[in-house]
Amino acid sequence: MAQTTESESRKLLGRLRDALAEDSAGQARLDRIVQLIAASMETEVCSIYLFRDADTLELCATEGLKPEAVHKTRMRLGEGLVGRVARQAKAINTADAPATKGFRYMPETGEEAYSSFLGIPIQRLGETLGVLVVQSREARQYSDDEVYALEVVAMVLAEMTELGAFTGEGAALSARHQHPVMIRGGVGQEGTAEGNVWLHEPRVVVTNPIAEDPDRETERLTTAVEELRAKVDEMLTASAMSDKEQRAVLETYRMFAHSRGWMQRMCEDIKLGLSAEAAVEKEQSAARARLQNAPDAYMRERMSDLDDLSRRLLRILTGQGRETGAEMPPKPILVARNIGPGELLDYGRSLRGIVLEQGSVGSHAAVVARALAIPLIIRADHITTEALNGDPILLDGEQGIVHLRPEDTILSAFRDKMAMQAKAQERYADLRDKPATTLCGATIGLTMNAGLMADLPSLENSGAEGVGLFRTELQFLARSNVPRRGDLAALYSRVLDAAHGKPVTFRTLDIGSDKVLPYMKRPEEPNPALGWRAIRVGLDKKGIMRMQLQALIRAANGRPLRVMFPFIAQFDEFREARQHLLDEIERERKLGHVLPEQLEIGAMLETPSLVFAPRQFFEMADFISIGGNDLKQFFFAADRENERVRRRYDTLNVSFLTLIETVANRCAEADTPVSFCGEDAGRPVEALCFAAMGLRSLSMRPASIGPVKHLLRRVDLNDARAVIDEARESGAQSVRPAVTEWLSKALAQG
């Protein structure tokens, strides 16, 4: 096939379909396929390399190279020309392979006789499964038509590999979606869980990659694209009065849907022998390969838009909707690329855990997962392409590890770990009604973080003394429009009812950064975490702040009310926000509404600047809560989303503990209560050190209260402080080693 034509390509695909239909083993099919491709391409060599593990390619079939090299020749990802094709997910086409950068001679194959080389990635939806190679003695550059034709063949091979057409002996030919897989991601919410996969959006399965009638397939594609365009237009019409950003996303959808180039490329794929469905997937894979390596972040973000549009088109073509008829398993662990807060709240507490390919620790999904106390793993690469509905799955939310289809040894060890945790929780239950009083007589108040009504039963069960942080943004994030004041007032009132007189601290709307309201325009910012967020939005959008403050006042209905403003960076921001609340109190008084019995107005200290605010700030605030998650990332200039840097810095670093001590001392001088709120408050060793630095209140997830209380009741803070001071004076970077060693001895003696 030196000069490729449409009919010749279709003939080759037809022969491949016949070979795949034969009742033969996977190895025999592969052997037959390389023979067919070599003959059609008029080349001396055709070889197929497949991954045997994440980093190693194996020669699985060849026509032209030494047959004894099959399943013997292996190379690492990036090694040799084949490894480069796999790593870069791009074709390499050269007339002089030995002179090409990266070439590696494999003597056992006998390939020294061949000069030209064309390697094509076998890929499906951004996942590279292997490499298809043709070689010839003649020093020739393969034509664009030949490259394109081989890409079409590689697409078919990818689909058939996915469907299990090439299974056989050895790791490289093992059946997909059956072997154990460990995926390391990021921690979105701590906790452990065992269950079965429930795919939020099941993959569309293409069972007919090859088609005989290109005219019929083109007609099917055209009809489906017209339906897709009509649906996108309907969405745009429906959103005519919606937020501009939401409309901009839909406009991007329409741009892709009406792209002539996109349609033309898919039609060309069909002419060469692909079905309409396979043509859509081929172009989706090709676009992903281009966009994920784009230097422009905006272009990389458009990849998800194109993915979504392609999935919509595939569902129209195949008739495979989101509802597949599969039953949700009894212990569902949700697996998705990403998910919105409303959709996640619909699942509610039925989920045992969540695994996302995307997401961040500050994303909507993470906020909801924390509120539901559900373990969450984020940035778990390829989980949606690897997992199938019903697959056994384990989540280790402490380490950020997912075990898919785990081996018995892993499963046994994991269950032992969960059993130990459950046993410990039973032990902690005995402490539920006891105070967190240390051996030296200091009592530490332990409160819980919440964000949903469903969290409130934990207030009694965990032994929490109140709600140290009630996140109010969830009711805003889960809706497509601004919630009504009456609805918010009713919700906040139910929260106070459920607390049965225990204090509840309501944090006003904390949006921005990763928490973006669907009905509010998101500004283009180079660093949203340091941008227009939280109190900055509230002071600029006074209407929303005023409405929420009115709802809180009316919800109190004569009961005590604690309101906390987030992300205060300077005294004037707190003074202005506080005055807004006092103004609303005065308006409610004039309207004759019942006012709170007691009003406390506090600030969340999340920026280092506020540590050094004027003395008047600490005197004016009724209470202060240290927002540990943000404060730590700003203090160390280390983005908590960035795995490369965030783990470099320890919470028990002497500098950070000195900062905490400074806050505690300044609050003590002003007689202002101060607490620490965040993930670190729920870690027993960190909680001990915070208490030793002078903090007498900690707010954490409910499950952490027992372990923290258990440790605090067994230690003397004076001894702990002496160990910390000695470590600081020694020039140690972190006090963790010294404190851990002291604890092990002290607890052993106790």
Side-chain angles (χ1 to χ4, degrees), residues 75-209:
M75 58 196 70
R76 306 288 289 177
L77 185 65
E79 181 182 11
L81 297 185
V82 173
R84 280 184 59 203
V85 172
R87 179 186 288 280
Q88 298 171 0
K90 291 181 180 179
I92 291 181
N93 182 10
T94 175
D96 188 359
T100 302
K101 179 183 177 182
F103 175 80
R104 182 193 167 196
Y105 174 52
M106 310 290 284
E108 73 274 15
T109 64
E111 65 179 338
E112 68 274 9
Y114 306 104
S115 179
S116 64
F117 174 97
L118 172 59
I120 301 289
I122 300 171
Q123 57 185 351
R124 183 179 186 272
L125 305 183
E127 182 185 14
T128 301
L129 308 178
V131 178
L132 173 61
V133 175
V134 292
Q135 296 170 273
S136 65
R137 288 186 174 84
E138 177 189 357
R140 63 162 176 152
Q141 193 92 5
Y142 289 91
S143 69
D144 290 343
D145 284 345
E146 289 173 314
V147 173
Y148 186 58
L150 209 60
E151 287 176 344
V152 171
V153 172
M155 168 67 198
V156 173
L157 294 179
E159 290 296 336
M160 301 319 294
T161 301
E162 174 72 12
L163 293 172
F166 307 126
T167 57
E169 295 183 6
L173 296 186
S174 62
R176 289 177 58 75
H177 311 299
Q178 292 187 17
H179 55 281
V181 175
M182 186 194 83
I183 299 175
R184 189 176 295 275
V187 177
Q189 164 70 3
E190 294 179 348
T192 54
E194 176 189 352
N196 299 91
V197 169
W198 180 251
L199 291 168
H200 175 60
E201 191 169 63
R203 294 192 306 279
V204 175
V205 180
V206 177
T207 57
N208 60 329

Side-chain angles (χ1 to χ4, degrees), residues 50-65:
L50 298 176
F51 278 102
R52 60 177 287 111
D53 57 47
D55 298 310
T56 311
L57 287 153
E58 181 173 298
L59 176 62
C60 290
T62 186
E63 171 70 13
L65 298 183

Side-chain angles (χ1 to χ4, degrees), residues 332-634:
I333 290 182
L334 187 74
V335 172
R337 290 175 60 253
N338 214 335
I339 188 170
E343 292 173 305
L344 191 49
L345 285 169
D346 286 342
Y347 284 107
R349 292 187 182 273
S350 64
L351 300 176
R352 293 295 182 93
I354 307 164
V355 187
L356 301 179
E357 275 192 8
Q358 301 174 1
S360 63
V361 296
S363 65
H364 302 164
V367 171
V368 175
R370 289 189 200 108
L372 295 173
I374 297 173
L376 167 66
I377 305 293
I378 55 177
R379 298 190 297 274
D381 288 344
H382 302 303
I383 185 68
T384 58
T385 55
E386 185 61 53
L388 296 178
N389 265 340
D391 276 346
I393 185 171
L394 307 175
L395 265 66
D396 186 338
E398 271 73 37
Q399 302 297 321
I401 293 174
V402 179
H403 293 282
L404 187 62
R405 300 179 291 270
E407 295 176 338
D408 289 344
T409 53
I410 297 292
L411 181 59
S412 177
F414 193 86
R415 285 177 175 169
D416 287 346
K417 178 179 179 179
M418 291 185 68
M420 290 176 63
Q421 291 175 340
K423 191 173 182 179
Q425 287 296 337
E426 291 175 8
R427 202 166 57 240
Y428 303 145
D430 296 335
L431 301 175
R432 185 179 59 190
D433 299 323
K434 297 178 180 179
T437 302
T438 65
L439 296 179
C440 57
T443 298
I444 314 301
L446 303 182
T447 58
M448 60 172 269
N449 301 330
L452 296 169
M453 276 299 300
D455 294 326
L456 273 300
S458 297
L459 188 55
E460 181 178 351
N461 299 336
S462 66
E465 299 169 35
V467 178
L469 167 65
F470 189 89
R471 306 178 183 91
T472 62
E473 56 269 14
L474 289 177
Q475 290 72 43
F476 288 80
L477 290 169
R479 300 171 62 102
S480 57
N481 47 33
V482 180
R484 296 179 179 179
R485 179 181 58 194
D487 293 340
L488 289 178
L491 170 69
Y492 301 152
S493 180
R494 290 198 301 273
V495 170
L496 291 171
D497 291 342
H500 300 298
K502 290 183 177 180
V504 178
T505 302
F506 291 95
R507 184 179 67 186
T508 61
L509 189 59
D510 184 6
I511 58 169
S513 189
D514 278 343
K515 292 177 285 188
V516 181
L517 300 182
Y519 42 85
M520 182 180 289
K521 180 175 175 57
R522 179 177 185 171
E524 290 295 329
E525 298 180 296
N527 190 340
L530 298 176
W532 193 59
R533 55 175 293 199
I535 195 61
R536 298 167 182 176
V537 177
L539 294 177
D540 290 350
K541 296 280 187 180
K542 293 182 175 63
I544 292 179
M545 175 184 273
R546 180 182 177 187
M547 182 270 289
Q548 186 180 27
L549 294 177
Q550 290 172 353
L552 286 166
I553 295 168
R554 295 180 187 184
N557 194 29
R559 293 173 287 192
L561 177 63
R562 287 171 60 91
V563 178
M564 177 168 64
F565 294 106
F567 205 64
I568 300 292
Q570 57 183 6
F571 182 25
D572 279 353
E573 290 173 336
F574 176 70
R575 186 158 39 196
E576 183 180 352
R578 178 177 179 274
Q579 189 58 50
H580 278 304
L581 178 51
L582 295 176
D583 290 344
E584 293 309 318
I585 289 284
E586 180 61 21
R587 287 192 184 94
E588 293 294 296
R589 186 188 66 77
K590 289 179 179 179
L591 290 172
H593 294 157
V594 179
L595 300 181
E597 175 188 52
Q598 178 185 2
L599 178 64
E600 294 180 90
I601 307 174
M604 203 156 204
L605 190 154
E606 301 169 84
T607 63
S609 64
L610 203 60
V611 178
F612 307 99
R615 173 180 50 81
Q616 289 88 338
F617 162 71
F618 292 93
E619 293 175 341
M620 180 177 287
D622 293 318
F623 63 92
I624 288 171
S625 179
I626 299 171
N629 297 337
D630 266 337
L631 181 62
K632 190 165 68 172
Q633 76 165 340
F634 298 142

